[in-house]
């Protein structure tokens, strides 16, 4: 039995002060000025000679940047998703009672089979040596390919290493460097992600122990829910070529609830993967405490990004999925979760990495490479990425 579990039996108040398990994981000072590289073109996609051409450098700055860009939401099994919602608002600050209320723009309810402004995609498409498997519409079980947008069936369980992703139902313009979704792999169903500096994702989910696949499968019993810059899956989610997606140049990933290995099979970590205060995008900046994976019950919670560069990951059975939720309700769920279950706060270092001699956003400064980036790329090229 874990020491923290023993303590929990002895004294609840002692637990919240001392255990490594918390119910709230905060990141503060999130967002910086930097840039990443878009993808410009793909060549010989299905051949061994497959390559990608690097595109323009894209500048970003401000609270939560680059995670203020449009994000897609990703799930890995063993996992059951019961409910999901995405919200936006104008003015919300964590801990500030006068914060404005939130509006739900996307919603999924498995049991009621309700889906609003949502598209489930999965990588069941064409294989490419440099891009991996292409996105397709997901069938009702989350991992099969479908011909059109399909709602995930109720009580659907994906197993270890199986994945699907959620996007909005707003179609991207055609692929192109100056179009709304940038350049993406041809033939995929391309939908916009979830944009905004101030945004919130809520989940009701289960992460039971793997009971079907054997332990030699990759990512055995390592469920996760994470956010990617939505450009990443539309180009190449799992690729070891630096020019085939913007991931390695730092367009952003945020791991909300992630099991890192089977040694720590109950520890749901939260991690920021970009270049704010680190050159190590592979490991990113992880909080050093974690949320406890519940192997038998439902877990409810999510992540809120506020106006001032604070992000809070939380679990709380108070979580509701109403079409509007007041700012004070969100703040009270989180402060109560923190008081009952403990919290951890990680301050990101302030960082500024402007695009040298840039003229404007998407300036075409393709010759400029951040030193932090070149040095790092040489070291890790060859590793497969997408979720760490
Ligand atoms: C990526 O693109 C840059 C810029 O065009 C080029 O210098 C580099 O060799 C490319 N890397 C790979 C692995 O293709
Ligand atoms: C659907 O989601 C997209 C992306 O968040 C948003 O821009 C759009 O307004 C939403 N549509 C509706 C009808 O809510
Ligand atoms: C997108 O979702 C919204 C909200 O559910 C719905 O009103 C709209 O018809 C959907 N649009 C498409 C193209 O499916
Ligand atoms: C989903 O359906 C596909 C195709 O029938 C099947 O191969 C796969 O095992 C199913 N996955 C799950 C998680 O049930
Ligand atoms: C499991 O992951 C945690 C968090 O990244 C790490 O600290 C620990 O060393 C890992 N354990 C093993 C056995 O890899
Ligand atoms: C939340 O509810 C689940 C049952 O769905 C239960 O297992 C869990 O202990 C509850 N959490 C708290 C903090 O009460």
């Amino acid at each position: 039995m874990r020491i923290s579990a023993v303590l929990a039996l002895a004294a609840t108040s002692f637990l919240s002060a001392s255990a490594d398990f918390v119910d709230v994981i905060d990141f503060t000072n999130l967002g910086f000025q930097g840039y990443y590289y878009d993808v410009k073109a793909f060549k010989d996609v299905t051949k061994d000679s497959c390559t990608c051409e690097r595109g323009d450098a894209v500048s970003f700055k401000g609270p939560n940047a680059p995670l203020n860009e449009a994000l897609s939401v990703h799930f890995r099994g063993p996992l059951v998703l019961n409910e999901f919602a995405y919200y936006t608002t104008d003015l919300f600050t964590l801990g500030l009672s006068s914060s404005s209320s939130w509006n739900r723009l996307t919603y999924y309810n498995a049991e009621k089979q309700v889906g609003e402004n949502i598209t489930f995609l999965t990588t069941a498409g064409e294989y490419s040596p440099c891009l991996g498997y292409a996105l397709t519409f997901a069938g009702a079980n989350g991992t099969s390919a479908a011909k059109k947008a399909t709602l995930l069936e109720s009580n659907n369980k994906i197993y270890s290493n199986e994945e699907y992703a959620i996007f909005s139902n707003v179609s991207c313009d055609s692929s192109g460097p100056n179009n709304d979704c940038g350049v993406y792999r041809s033939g995929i169903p391309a939908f916009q992600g979830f944009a905004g500096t101030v945004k919130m994702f809520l989940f009701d989910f289960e992460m039971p122990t793997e009971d079907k696949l054997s332990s030699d499968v990759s990512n055995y019993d390592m469920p996760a829910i994470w956010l990617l810059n939505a450009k990443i899956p539309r180009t190449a989610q799992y690729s070891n070529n630096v020019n085939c997606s913007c991931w390695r140049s730092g367009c952003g990933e945020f791991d909300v609830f992630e099991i890192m290995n089977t040694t720590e099979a109950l520890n749901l970590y939260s991690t920021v993967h970009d270049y704010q205060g680190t050159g190590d995008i592979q490991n990113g900046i992880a909080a050093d405490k974690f949320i406890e994976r519940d192997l038998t019950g439902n877990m409810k919670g999510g992540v809120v990004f506020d106006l001032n560069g604070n992000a809070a990951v939380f679990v709380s059975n108070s979580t509701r999925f109403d079409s509007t939720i007041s700012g004070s309700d969100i703040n009270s769920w989180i402060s109560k979760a923190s008081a009952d279950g403990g919290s951890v706060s990680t301050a990101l270092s302030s960082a500024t990495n402007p695009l040298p001699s840039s003229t404007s956003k998407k300036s075409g400064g393709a010759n400029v490479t951040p030193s932090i980036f070149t040095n790092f790329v040489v070291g890790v090229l060859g590793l497969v990425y997408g979720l760490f």
Side-chain angles (χ1 to χ4, degrees):
M1 184 185 276
R2 296 182 58 87
I3 289 170
S4 52
V6 176
L7 290 174
L9 296 174
T12 309
S13 57
F14 185 48
L15 169 70
S16 48
S18 65
D20 286 339
F21 286 130
V22 293
D23 282 356
V24 179
I25 297 175
D26 282 315
F27 290 94
T28 62
N29 196 39
L30 180 64
F32 72 113
Q33 180 177 5
Y35 61 101
Y36 63 82
Y37 288 105
D38 266 339
V39 180
K40 188 176 190 176
F42 311 101
K43 289 200 184 102
D44 298 339
V45 164
T46 57
K47 299 188 185 139
D48 285 341
S49 54
C50 173
T51 55
C52 302
E53 193 181 337
R54 193 175 82 183
D56 289 350
V58 179
S59 304
F60 57 79
K61 66 176 175 188
N64 305 330
L67 294 162
N68 59 340
E69 296 194 5
L71 307 178
S72 47
V73 188
H74 296 256
F75 302 84
R76 183 170 73 194
L79 179 139
V80 177
L81 181 63
N82 297 309
E83 222 166 342
F84 165 80
Y86 160 72
Y87 295 80
T88 57
T89 187
D90 296 327
L91 302 169
F92 177 83
T93 302
L94 282 157
L96 197 70
S97 58
S98 62
S99 289
S100 63
S101 67
W102 293 81
N103 298 312
R104 191 180 72 195
L105 294 189
T106 285
Y107 182 53
Y108 167 68
N109 183 313
E111 192 188 349
K112 295 181 179 154
Q113 284 293 285
V114 171
E116 293 168 2
N117 197 5
I118 192 165
T119 310
F120 288 92
L121 302 182
T122 194
T123 47
E126 176 187 65
Y127 179 73
S128 157
C130 72
L131 303 177
Y133 291 94
L135 286 174
T136 60
F137 289 111
N141 79 5
T143 59
S144 60
K147 290 203 163 58
K148 59 179 175 55
T150 304
L151 215 52
L152 227 62
E153 69 204 357
S154 181
N155 269 315
N156 173 65
K157 180 156 89 177
I158 52 170
Y159 297 94
S160 294
N161 208 37
E162 295 182 336
E163 292 185 11
Y164 56 79
I166 291 178
F167 292 73
S168 75
N169 75 358
V170 182
S171 291
C172 290
D173 293 343
S174 58
S175 171
N178 299 316
N179 295 349
D180 60 352
C181 294
V183 168
Y184 54 85
R185 187 169 172 178
S186 74
I188 65 163
F191 291 89
Q192 292 183 4
F194 302 107
T197 298
V198 185
K199 58 193 164 198
M200 172 168 75
F201 300 92
L202 299 181
F203 308 90
D204 177 332
F205 62 103
E206 299 162 46
M207 290 182 166
T209 302
E210 175 64 59
D211 60 1
K212 181 182 150 197
L213 302 178
S214 66
S215 58
D216 54 11
V217 68
S218 315
N219 296 316
Y220 175 78
D221 201 31
M222 288 165 54
I225 298 177
W226 71 107
L227 311 171
L228 290 176
N229 187 311
K231 289 174 174 174
I232 298 168
R234 285 192 303 256
T235 52
Q237 188 184 336
Y238 292 105
S239 168
N240 55 18
N241 186 315
V242 62
N243 295 335
C244 288
S245 94
C246 60
W247 185 85
R248 200 172 288 286
S249 58
C251 60
E253 166 175 347
F254 188 102
D255 303 331
V256 187
F257 304 111
E258 182 189 15
I259 300 296
M260 306 294 292
N261 52 54
T262 47
T263 310
E264 299 190 10
L266 297 185
N267 300 358
L268 289 168
Y269 281 88
S270 298
T271 308
V272 176
H273 292 271
D274 60 30
Y275 287 107
Q276 183 172 7
T278 177
D280 182 356
I281 199 157
Q282 206 86 19
N283 286 306
I285 304 277
D288 58 9
K289 296 191 179 190
F290 19 80
I291 286 166
E292 184 171 17
R293 172 182 176 189
D294 184 337
L295 294 173
T296 52
N298 286 21
M299 304 183 68
K300 292 185 196 181
V303 58
V304 185
F305 295 88
D306 84 2
L307 189 60
N308 294 342
N310 303 300
V313 173
F314 67 95
V315 285
S316 163
N317 282 347
S318 302
T319 304
R320 298 187 323 267
F321 295 79
D322 304 350
S323 55
T324 60
I325 305 176
S326 70
S328 59
D329 278 2
I330 303 295
N331 275 319
S332 77
W333 301 349
I334 294 173
S335 61
K336 186 170 183 303
S338 176
D340 294 350
S343 68
V344 60
S345 184
T346 304
L348 282 99
S349 334
S350 295
T352 306
N353 186 25
L355 177 59
S357 65
S358 72
T359 46
S360 62
K361 190 171 159 72
K362 298 200 179 226
S363 67
N367 294 330
V368 210
T369 304
S371 56
I372 198 173
F373 172 44
T374 20
N375 295 340
F376 183 65
V377 163
V378 171
V380 298
L381 213 64
L383 291 173
V384 173
Y385 63 88
L387 168 63
F388 288 92

